[in-house]
Amino acid sequence: DTVLQVSGQLDLEAGGPAVRLPLHPEIARLQYKGTWYPHPDPSQHMRRSIYVFVKRNNRPPLLTNFDAPGTMVSCGRRNQSSHAGQALTLLNSPELDRQARAFASRLETEAGRAPVAVVQRAYRLALGRPPNPDELSLGRAFLETGDGSFAETLSDYCLVLFNLDEFLYVE
């Protein structure tokens, strides 16, 4: 939910039926024999995770990697883990890449293309605080020396912010 909120994609509609998300075609074919129909409106896929339809024997992989409770038995206490698979999921997930691009687009709309303004806005949105001088300097340098277009470089920067410990863990 936080990734969707920061990227500006979160749909805050309350209530209503659970939303079926798109599944990898192979999983949908094997698990549901052609009976899995994701919600036809893609904006519904951006609703809070509490509204995601979850089948007991098929939890969303992204949520599973981040200790979502099991659905086959009751969960008296949630486990918490930190492992390499989580970092790899965040760095390589097509969904996180889409959200990083949406976050970058939001930043361009709200802060323009001035690197200092973009870094300051990015930190406010993602971490709820301003960047310290070192973070501001590193972010500005990254955006000014990117290999691709500004939008691509900013998208990469946003993906890095989504991977910061401070973004992932509440202290």
Side-chain angles (χ1 to χ4, degrees), residues 58-99:
N58 191 6
R59 294 185 297 164
L62 183 63
L63 298 180
T64 302
N65 282 342
F66 291 94
D67 304 318
T71 53
M72 297 298 277
V73 295
S74 63
C75 179
R77 182 172 162 220
R78 292 208 27 205
N79 295 325
Q80 292 180 340
S81 65
S82 181
H83 54 84
Q86 292 170 335
L88 292 170
T89 296
L90 289 174
L91 286 171
N92 297 307
S93 164
E95 179 58 30
L96 264 288
D97 186 56
R98 279 191 295 278
Q99 293 308 318

Side-chain angles (χ1 to χ4, degrees), residues 1-151:
D1 291 356
T2 304
V3 170
L4 292 173
Q5 176 66 39
V6 169
S7 69
Q9 302 294 302
L10 184 63
D11 179 349
L12 294 173
E13 176 187 349
V19 176
R20 291 179 185 237
L21 299 178
L23 292 175
H24 187 280
E26 187 68 16
I27 292 172
R29 186 177 63 77
L30 289 174
Q31 292 272 326
Y32 302 104
K33 298 182 180 21
T35 62
W36 183 266
Y37 301 105
H39 196 286
D41 179 2
S43 70
Q44 290 291 303
H45 303 164
M46 304 301 168
R47 295 195 58 203
R48 293 188 55 222
S49 59
I50 194 169
Y51 295 108
V52 172
F53 180 85
V54 176
K55 201 81 167 142
R56 282 189 190 176
N57 62 347
N58 191 6
R59 294 185 297 164
L62 183 63
L63 298 180
T64 302
N65 282 342
F66 291 94
D67 304 318
T71 53
M72 297 298 277
V73 295
S74 63
C75 179
R77 182 172 162 220
R78 292 208 27 205
N79 295 325
Q80 292 180 340
S81 65
S82 181
H83 54 84
Q86 292 170 335
L88 292 170
T89 296
L90 289 174
L91 286 171
N92 297 307
S93 164
E95 179 58 30
L96 264 288
D97 186 56
R98 279 191 295 278
Q99 293 308 318
R101 291 178 191 281
F103 184 21
S105 177
R106 177 182 184 182
L107 288 171
E108 276 195 76
T109 299
E110 294 180 12
R113 289 182 164 227
V116 169
V118 169
V119 170
Q120 289 173 332
R121 185 67 181 143
Y123 266 75
R124 279 281 178 206
L125 289 169
L127 305 176
R129 66 170 179 82
N132 66 37
D134 288 338
E135 293 165 335
L136 184 61
S137 177
L138 287 169
R140 184 184 51 96
F142 182 82
L143 294 175
E144 289 175 347
T145 60
D147 291 339
S149 70
F150 182 78

